[in-house]
Amino acid sequence: MRVGIIGGGQLAQMMIQAGSELGVSFALLALCGDESAATICPNVTRVADFDAEALRQFIAACDVVTFDHELVDPAILGSIDESVHKVFPGSNTLRLAANKARQRELLTSLNIATPRFIVATNELELRQALDEVGLPAVAKAAHGGYDGRGVFYLDSLRDADDLLGEIPASFELIVEERLAIEAEIAVLVARSRNGSVATYPVLRTVQVDSICREVLVPSGIELELETEALGLGERIAQAVGAIGILAIEMFVVNGRILINELAPRPHNSGHLTIETCATSQFENHLRGVLGLPLGPTELNFACAAMVNILGG
């Protein structure tokens, strides 16, 4: 089997390393530039953009295709995959994952609690949203933000004015109340094409400047909340049709779990599963997209911690 990965960053690199034990070969569709996975993959196609023709040719040359990130046009992917059915997760899941506003709207329709939020697409809506949720508030770009990018902390109306001067005239923001967060946690759910589901132990994440700095397991939250978090993770994975890993970031506020956002791929909070769990998130992502039985996810140790170091 040849597994194609769209995107050539660290997640693709770790997927390729995990796949060596599964006997699969890899092809990489990477943007021009210095992408880490390209240094270990012998079959690399470099492109200036993930346009329709590049995607079509790449998908045709692979048995199964998955992603290093969700920053690919889901409409293009959907039109290509209509006949071949080998892109996992599918374009509908990718479309949802690429837009935080759509995520929140889906979760609300499922009666799953999220932070109180309002979607704003112009200056008037932004000011009305701030009036409703109150200050201080947080504004998040609905698409394109990661590792602290696209997150804006608004303490005053002056901050809102500054924000409007920085962002494009056409925007979509989620405006939400500033919460007193007791804990931030992540639930990783592996779901296979064969219908099987496996969840990893709840992970405690420590954020600094909206970037995951540390990950701890066990999470240290109450057992009842852990059980609820795992159940919510499986429910959401089924609802969005996830294949491979779905990472769900959650807040604990006033003893309640609120869902923050979703990522349909291996996640930076789950890197410690490489050494800490019986099967890493990267191997189980590949098992899921290939339709293989999922590996066990229990901890090999009583506890573990990870520090996330970002290179400059």
Side-chain angles (χ1 to χ4, degrees):
M1 295 287 287
R2 173 178 285 184
V3 176
I5 305 175
I6 298 174
Q10 58 166 327
L11 300 180
Q13 180 178 339
M14 288 185 251
M15 265 189 255
I16 292 169
Q17 291 166 332
S20 63
E21 297 182 6
L22 297 177
V24 298
S25 64
F26 289 92
L28 197 67
L29 186 65
L31 294 175
C32 297
D34 184 19
E35 295 208 271
S36 60
T39 65
I40 67 167
C41 184
N43 188 344
V44 181
T45 301
R46 292 188 180 275
V47 293
D49 189 20
F50 296 129
D51 59 30
E53 187 56 29
L55 291 168
R56 185 174 291 106
Q57 290 183 14
F58 182 72
I59 291 169
C62 300
D63 296 302
V64 171
V65 175
T66 190
F67 304 92
D68 171 80
H69 55 70
E70 56 269 18
L71 304 179
V72 184
D73 189 334
I76 294 175
L77 280 172
S79 65
I80 296 171
D81 199 39
E82 280 179 359
S83 57
V84 295
H85 303 297
K86 55 183 177 182
V87 177
F88 302 99
S91 58
N92 289 335
T93 305
L94 203 68
R95 183 178 288 107
L96 178 70
N99 190 302
K100 296 180 178 65
R102 303 294 87 76
Q103 292 178 23
R104 292 289 183 86
E105 289 164 356
L106 173 67
L107 293 167
T108 299
S109 73
L110 296 172
N111 293 318
I112 295 175
T114 72
R116 183 185 176 202
F117 73 96
I118 297 171
V119 178
T121 59
N122 56 53
E123 180 178 351
L124 177 60
E125 290 179 353
L126 175 59
R127 296 190 185 283
Q128 289 175 337
L130 291 173
D131 283 342
E132 188 164 336
V133 304
L135 290 166
V138 182
K140 300 176 180 178
H143 42 83
Y146 64 97
D147 282 348
R149 298 171 178 86
V151 179
F152 311 97
Y153 294 93
L154 307 179
D155 294 313
S156 66
L157 293 177
R158 175 64 182 272
D159 291 338
D161 293 335
D162 293 342
L163 174 59
L164 288 166
E166 294 174 9
I167 61 177
S170 176
F171 63 82
E172 184 175 26
L173 294 172
I174 297 172
V175 183
E176 64 185 35
E177 57 187 330
R178 188 87 61 87
L179 298 168
I181 298 172
E182 298 163 17
E184 297 191 47
I185 59 175
V187 171
L188 306 182
V189 182
R191 186 167 179 264
S192 177
R193 288 163 56 190
N194 67 18
S196 60
V197 175
T199 55
Y200 284 86
V202 177
L203 304 169
R204 178 77 163 262
T205 64
V206 179
Q207 311 290 323
V208 178
D209 296 330
S210 300
I211 298 174
C212 180
R213 177 69 61 83
E214 300 171 16
V215 181
L216 310 169
V217 63
S219 70
I221 66 173
E222 295 180 2
L223 179 60
E224 293 81 0
L225 284 178
E226 282 203 341
T227 302
E228 180 185 353
L230 294 173
L232 284 169
E234 289 196 18
R235 182 182 169 197
I236 293 168
Q238 296 284 2
V240 304
I243 299 293
I245 292 289
L246 179 72
I248 304 116
E249 297 179 5
M250 307 181 182
F251 298 145
V252 178
V253 180
N254 294 326
R256 296 178 61 225
I257 290 178
L258 304 176
I259 307 300
N260 179 29
E261 61 182 68
L262 318 176
R265 51 169 170 72
H267 193 253
N268 60 5
S269 66
H271 293 346
L272 88 171
T273 63
I274 296 171
E275 290 90 5
T276 304
C277 294
T279 313
S280 77
Q281 66 164 344
F282 299 98
E283 181 177 338
N284 262 339
H285 182 77
L286 292 170
R287 286 178 170 275
V289 302
L290 289 166
L292 299 174
L294 298 173
T297 55
E298 68 268 11
L299 295 173
N300 291 329
F301 308 97
C303 58
M306 179 186 79
V307 176
N308 190 26
I309 301 173
L310 301 182

